[in-house]
Amino acid sequence: MSVHLTARNVSRRYGVSTVVNGVSLDLEPGKITALLGGSGAGKSTLLRLFAGLEPLDEGEIRLGDQMLSAPGKTVPAEKRRIGLIFQDFALFPHLTAAQNVAFGLKSRGKAAARTIAAEWLARLGLTGRADAYPHELSGGEQQRVAIARALAPEPAAILMDEPFSGLDPALRGSVRDTALAAIREAGIPALLVTHDPTEALESSDAIAILQGGRLLQQGLARDVYLKPDSAAIAAALGPVSRISGPDMPAGLTGQAVPAGSELVVRPEGVVQDETSPVRATVVTSQLTGPLCRLLLDCAGQELVALVPRMTAPKAGAEIGIRLDPALTFIFQSADS
């Protein structure tokens, strides 16, 4: 039976520096939670606390009813039944793919270990690569072997530290989809540490935003994206344009912006609408794939928009714009 992996008010300090500060996080069975934050936010340290690779200074970590960590108590990583997947794959170079997957299954006996390893390799599309050594595998194949090795012993939870960031961009999406489908199928709590907001949104069921060691917001991925608690959280999930209240172009929002506030809008929330009385000049128009990125000048204020390629205006054009209320937020300014 799957259980929750939870952290309650956990902190970790190195000397006078607090790297993780009072974080509470609940990882649900069968769900992937993305832990998102910039460099130095404390993401990897929090993962190491969950894994038992670091002791706690405050708080507790539990797997169901079992206490894993508390000040002065740390259940060793090898006794936690928690799978770990890292960016560098960490495969044994002298073992084949099948032997790598079977490595953690010695207690099952050789025949059972071989059978289980073969089943996991098949599940991840690697049956034909079972006898290949790591140096004979592509980066995507190595990562799938690492995931099979982590899941084969039937862990109670799994932790992933930037596991796909080293892959070729052309392969990253397909490898990630295959791997995460297998993790969801296992029905266990999963934590995905990433600095990439697109990966967090595409891969996870829930998102937790970490900044400066503190957890700013957590919830369903859709809710955090559409209902951020602050401008910093909105910006953590992708590019935004920010305009302070006094600098707001007339008619842009259709509502009064309170003094001491700022408007935050996502690029896809700036909509081209020729019936709108609000006008903007296209400074640059750049193809990014299926969409064009427009840099706009609206009464002296800079806005970024993403529009369909087929209807994208050229640089120098004047266009009408409006804002999508679902992607436009008004927050109290940080310095107010």
Side-chain angles (χ1 to χ4, degrees), residues 256-270:
V257 178
S261 297
E262 68 173 336
L263 176 139
V264 177
V265 58
R266 301 198 184 281
E268 63 271 32
V270 181

Side-chain angles (χ1 to χ4, degrees), residues 74-153:
T74 305
V75 174
E78 64 273 15
K79 295 184 178 180
R80 293 193 172 209
R81 293 185 54 235
I82 293 178
L84 298 172
I85 303 172
F86 296 102
Q87 178 181 343
D88 62 1
F89 314 147
L91 299 178
F92 299 112
H94 62 291
L95 300 181
T96 65
Q99 290 168 339
N100 263 282
V101 178
F103 185 82
L105 302 170
K106 294 178 180 179
S107 63
R108 310 285 184 92
K110 289 185 178 180
R114 283 195 297 267
T115 299
I116 295 169
E119 290 172 352
W120 272 104
L121 289 173
R123 189 175 299 186
L124 289 167
L126 292 167
T127 297
R129 307 297 280 153
D131 295 328
Y133 288 89
H135 71 275
E136 299 173 321
L137 300 171
S138 69
E141 289 171 337
Q142 289 182 49
Q143 188 59 298
R144 281 182 284 161
V145 172
I147 290 166
R149 184 179 62 182
L151 290 173

